[in-house]
Amino acid sequence: MKIKRSARTIIIVQELLNRPHHLFPLTYFADELGVAKSSLSEDIGLIKETIARLQLGIVETVAGAAGGVRFLPLIGAEKRAKLAKELCQRLQEPERIIPGGFLYMNDIIYDPEIAGWIGQIFASRYVYQPPEYVLTVETKGIPLAMMTARALGVPLVIARDDSKVTEGSSVSINYVSGSTRRIQTMALARRSLPRQARVLIIDDFMKAGGTARGMKELLQEFEAEVVGTGVLIATVEPEQKLVGDYFSLLELVNIDEEKKQVEIRPAAWVTQPLAEEEGLWQL
Amino acid sequence: MKIKRSARTIIIVQELLNRPHHLFPLTYFADELGVAKSSLSEDIGLIKETIARLQLGIVETVAGAAGGVRFLPLIGAEKRAKLAKELCQRLQEPERIIPGGFLYMNDIIYDPEIAGWIGQIFASRYVYQPPEYVLTVETKGIPLAMMTARALGVPLVIARDDSKVTEGSSVSINYVSGSTRRIQTMALARRSLPRQARVLIIDDFMKAGGTARGMKELLQEFEAEVVGTGVLIATVEPEQKLVGDYFSLLELVNIDEEKKQVEIRPAAWVTQPLAEEEGLWQL
């Protein structure tokens, strides 16, 4: 079946966007679309240019026998700034304040579209050195971690509050939750992760950093290399967290329960171009 | 800035696929792309035809002032059957059997690509009557429920094992887990769900159906209408579940720990065309 060039472009872009970071051999598309590999280069060139114009990422052609084409999500600084600003506006709504000085944000972090953007922003930092796994601990960070894993084309791994009989043997550690100062347990099924994997830690919120440190300690048991720790929101205070190298999309400056005011702002890196995006959007 | 037709098509398809079930007014694309609305109809026609050819869903044009264009995921029977068969093959690997007769499947249900396909298959059943929310209970069902919510363009809601101080006031119920016969608690933050919402329940596994019945009871407290209950795997025994109206993608016939054998098959509806897809793929 002969497929028109314009339809071909739709098919290719659809496959690329559906599986970020997956390298599709050119023969895959050539066979699927019934065209010579040489005919594909013009299609791919157009896709590359359009995705760059939208500041959504890089469509990369890898030469050679093991080569092909892949889509690497990289949300440009301008778009990141816009998304972060919109998030701040919504998170500052006074009715989100929960007694005890907490911020209700489930409606935002469980929204697939928003979580999808956040995941793509986190993935933007690892465009050329993607991790092999994304780790989170149950429960609230799971949707964000899932969408980050999706954008990186890697599996998600979920640590549990306790070991589960349905997951087989597991490794568990105790850690001190930074804010409540309570001793808690975190467990990960042995089969979840091979030894010496490269892992990105994702969570929704960081105050003292106790949970993130717990995840790092758990990963040590698997001899994993932690490539980074990313959270949606980190509090400005305490400045000194229990983990050193983390990044957050937003910074929570203050919640004033009395005045019903929330102060939250994008982290500095969000609105500045990443090294990886330099020269990328000029067409 | 003038954009070529072929680039226009890429931009439109990218936006449509990124936000399933979202109705984009034609003026949105006309403004974004700097073209007259009339020029868009040819682009959209081509996208519609190509998405149907791939059996991925319906690109629907809604006429009138409040109209526009949207993408409704609907995975065709042929593609559903292929995906379900591949899943069965993987789930039947003998090394998945965990002492106690459980099946390890985290690597599959936490894989964003696989979870994405499963979510789109679940969403296929609600293409013309989508729910307003997708509900699951922590933890293992969350990635599947998230990808189902994504495919339906609606928020995810997560019930917890216990009420959490960070989520404000909540409603909690007790239920008897069907397989362990233990009394458990399930809680949902009051702000998670408005009254009388239409809700789809999603989970990874159903044996007796106690957890699903718990979720239904929890939803009654919110006067919600349950539009359906979908699980990835339901056991064939007990045939009589604690909830009447559920569907599963796969059916677990038997796990034989001694012989290291797992028998699992696609549910009948998966491989048969849905009423909604009749005549849809003929071009």
Side-chain angles (χ1 to χ4, degrees):
Chain A
M1 169 173 56
K2 185 80 184 140
I3 297 172
K4 277 188 296 185
R5 162 127 191 272
S6 42
R8 245 168 33 213
T9 315
I10 294 172
I11 294 173
I12 297 171
V13 79
Q14 174 276 123
E15 295 244 28
L16 290 175
L17 296 181
N18 192 44
R19 291 187 74 181
H21 279 266
H22 177 78
L23 186 67
F24 291 88
L26 286 186
T27 46
Y28 171 83
F29 288 121
D31 292 351
E32 191 188 5
L33 302 170
V35 289
K37 280 203 261 181
S38 55
S39 315
L40 292 172
S41 71
E42 213 183 315
D43 301 342
I44 291 168
L46 179 69
I47 293 171
K48 192 179 292 206
E49 199 183 285
T50 309
I51 295 295
R53 184 203 293 270
L54 298 170
Q55 300 206 4
L56 288 177
I58 304 165
V59 173
E60 189 182 53
T61 315
V62 179
V69 59
R70 63 184 161 205
F71 165 59
L72 312 175
L74 199 176
I75 306 295
E78 209 178 293
K79 207 176 175 82
R80 285 200 303 272
K82 185 170 168 285
L83 289 163
K85 204 177 142 200
E86 284 169 11
L87 273 177
C88 287
Q89 271 168 2
R90 286 194 58 186
L91 286 164
Q92 288 182 130
E93 292 158 1
E95 58 273 26
R96 294 194 171 276
I97 301 174
I98 284 174
F102 300 104
L103 201 60
Y104 184 81
M105 53 183 197
N106 293 6
D107 57 329
I108 292 178
I109 60 181
Y110 296 172
D111 177 306
E113 199 207 343
I114 299 174
W117 286 116
I118 296 169
Q120 286 179 79
I121 292 176
F122 286 158
S124 301
R125 295 176 59 108
Y126 298 92
V127 65
Y128 291 122
Q129 285 96 29
E132 296 167 299
Y133 294 86
V134 170
L135 173 77
T136 193
V137 63
E138 58 186 345
T139 294
K140 285 171 77 175
I142 299 175
L144 297 181
M146 182 67 178
M147 297 315 269
T148 308
R150 183 181 189 273
L152 290 164
V154 301
L156 172 66
V157 174
I158 303 175
R160 309 289 300 258
D161 293 340
D162 203 348
S163 65
K164 303 291 168 186
V165 62
T166 57
E167 297 180 13
S169 65
S170 65
V171 176
S172 71
I173 59 135
N174 293 314
Y175 69 103
V176 179
S177 156
S179 30
T180 64
R181 310 290 313 155
R182 274 195 322 202
I183 293 186
Q184 294 186 277
T185 303
M186 198 186 279
L188 188 56
R190 279 222 176 273
R191 357 188 145 199
S192 299
L193 210 56
R195 302 253 140 218
Q196 303 181 327
R198 286 166 46 83
V199 181
L200 171 63
I201 294 172
I202 294 292
D203 211 350
D204 59 317
F205 195 83
M206 185 188 291
K207 193 170 179 182
T211 307
R213 192 168 66 175
M215 283 193 263
K216 282 186 111 160
E217 282 170 14
L218 187 57
L219 286 174
Q220 276 172 15
E221 299 289 327
F222 289 81
E223 298 162 38
E225 180 196 341
V226 178
V227 303
T229 301
V231 297
L232 174 61
I233 301 179
T235 54
V236 171
E237 296 294 342
E239 203 187 330
Q240 208 57 44
K241 308 291 189 201
L242 295 169
V243 288
D245 53 332
Y246 74 93
F247 60 91
S248 76
L249 188 67
L250 309 177
E251 295 173 350
L252 180 60
V253 183
N254 192 40
I255 298 181
D256 190 325
E257 272 191 85
E258 282 288 301
K259 293 187 188 152
K260 298 256 171 219
Q261 279 176 348
V262 181
E263 195 186 337
I264 192 162
R265 67 190 179 205
W269 71 271
V270 176
T271 56
Q272 308 292 325
L274 292 167
E276 290 84 352
E277 65 181 292
E278 212 162 296
L280 212 62
W281 317 125
Q282 277 102 48
L283 298 173
Chain B
M1 169 173 51
K2 184 81 184 141
I3 297 173
K4 276 188 299 188
R5 161 127 191 270
S6 42
R8 242 167 37 210
T9 315
I10 295 173
I11 295 172
I12 297 171
V13 80
Q14 175 277 124
E15 295 244 28
L16 290 176
L17 296 181
N18 191 43
R19 292 187 74 181
H21 278 267
H22 178 78
L23 186 67
F24 291 89
L26 287 185
T27 45
Y28 172 81
F29 288 120
D31 292 351
E32 190 188 7
L33 302 170
V35 289
K37 279 202 264 182
S38 55
S39 315
L40 293 172
S41 69
E42 214 184 315
D43 302 342
I44 290 168
L46 180 69
I47 293 171
K48 192 179 295 207
E49 201 183 284
T50 309
I51 294 296
R53 184 202 293 272
L54 298 169
Q55 301 208 1
L56 287 177
I58 304 166
V59 173
E60 188 181 55
T61 315
V62 179
V69 58
R70 65 184 159 203
F71 165 59
L72 312 175
L74 199 177
I75 307 295
E78 211 179 292
K79 209 180 175 81
R80 286 199 305 270
K82 186 170 167 285
L83 291 162
K85 205 179 142 197
E86 285 168 12
L87 273 176
C88 287
Q89 271 167 3
R90 288 194 58 186
L91 287 164
Q92 288 182 134
E93 294 158 0
E95 58 271 27
R96 295 192 172 276
I97 300 174
I98 283 174
F102 300 105
L103 201 61
Y104 184 81
M105 52 184 199
N106 293 7
D107 58 330
I108 293 179
I109 60 181
Y110 296 172
D111 178 304
E113 199 206 345
I114 299 174
W117 286 117
I118 296 169
Q120 286 179 77
I121 293 176
F122 286 158
S124 301
R125 295 176 57 109
Y126 298 92
V127 64
Y128 291 123
Q129 284 96 31
E132 296 167 299
Y133 293 86
V134 171
L135 172 77
T136 193
V137 63
E138 58 185 343
T139 294
K140 286 171 75 177
I142 298 175
L144 297 181
M146 182 66 176
M147 297 315 269
T148 308
R150 181 179 190 274
L152 290 164
V154 301
L156 172 66
V157 174
I158 302 176
R160 309 290 300 258
D161 293 340
D162 204 349
S163 65
K164 304 289 168 187
V165 62
T166 57
E167 297 179 14
S169 65
S170 65
V171 177
S172 72
I173 59 135
N174 293 315
Y175 69 104
V176 179
S177 157
S179 27
T180 64
R181 311 291 312 158
R182 275 195 322 204
I183 292 184
Q184 295 186 276
T185 303
M186 199 185 276
L188 188 56
R190 278 223 176 273
R191 352 187 149 201
S192 300
L193 210 54
R195 301 256 138 216
Q196 302 182 327
R198 284 167 47 84
V199 181
L200 171 64
I201 294 172
I202 293 292
D203 210 349
D204 59 319
F205 195 82
M206 185 189 291
K207 193 170 180 184
T211 307
R213 192 169 66 176
M215 284 193 261
K216 282 185 109 161
E217 281 169 15
L218 188 56
L219 286 174
Q220 277 172 14
E221 299 290 327
F222 289 81
E223 297 164 38
E225 181 196 341
V226 178
V227 302
T229 301
V231 296
L232 173 60
I233 300 178
T235 54
V236 170
E237 297 291 341
E239 202 188 330
Q240 208 57 43
K241 309 290 191 202
L242 294 169
V243 288
D245 53 332
Y246 73 95
F247 60 92
S248 76
L249 188 64
L250 309 177
E251 294 173 349
L252 179 60
V253 183
N254 193 40
I255 298 180
D256 190 326
E257 273 191 84
E258 283 288 301
K259 294 189 187 153
K260 298 257 174 221
Q261 280 176 347
V262 182
E263 195 186 334
I264 193 163
R265 66 190 180 205
W269 71 271
V270 175
T271 56
Q272 307 293 324
L274 292 167
E276 290 85 351
E277 63 181 295
E278 211 161 296
L280 212 62
W281 318 125
Q282 276 102 48
L283 299 171

